[in-house]
Amino acid sequence: RLYIHDMAEDFNGNIWVGTNVGLLKLDSQTLNCSILYKENYAFDEIYSLLTHKDKIWMGTNNGLIEFSTKTKISKIFSI
């Protein structure tokens, strides 16, 4: 099952969705959905999202993640 915990819109109008299986992105131009599964990161669930410029900040059960939408690089801040 897919559980949605939070959603946020970035500066390009894309919708980001934090779920129990990772991060989803709905592209505002094409309406395509991209999935970044939890296997790519050291977390299980994304509970909260915040967008700022080209960054997506994610609150997870294992800490905070900063994801760059430009470089696709993540920084993990574990608790």
Side-chain angles (χ1 to χ4, degrees), residues 11 50-57 66-69 71:
F11 67 100
L50 175 71
T51 60
H52 183 259
K53 298 183 182 176
D54 70 324
K55 306 284 193 235
I56 308 293
W57 289 87
E66 175 195 50
F67 176 73
S68 171
T69 60
T71 65

Side-chain angles (χ1 to χ4, degrees), residues 6-8 10 14-18 23-25 49 56 67 69:
D6 200 6
M7 298 188 327
D10 68 18
N14 300 310
I15 303 297
W16 297 84
V17 183
L23 182 66
L24 309 179
K25 175 191 171 190
L49 295 171
I56 308 293
F67 176 73
T69 60

Side-chain angles (χ1 to χ4, degrees), residues 9-42:
E9 183 177 1
D10 68 18
F11 67 100
N12 289 321
N14 300 310
I15 303 297
W16 297 84
V17 183
T19 74
N20 62 310
V21 297
L23 182 66
L24 309 179
K25 175 191 171 190
L26 178 62
D27 188 294
S28 64
Q29 300 295 317
T30 64
L31 297 181
N32 287 331
C33 186
S34 302
I35 302 170
L36 301 173
Y37 288 102
K38 66 182 177 181
E39 289 84 8
N40 295 335
Y41 302 103

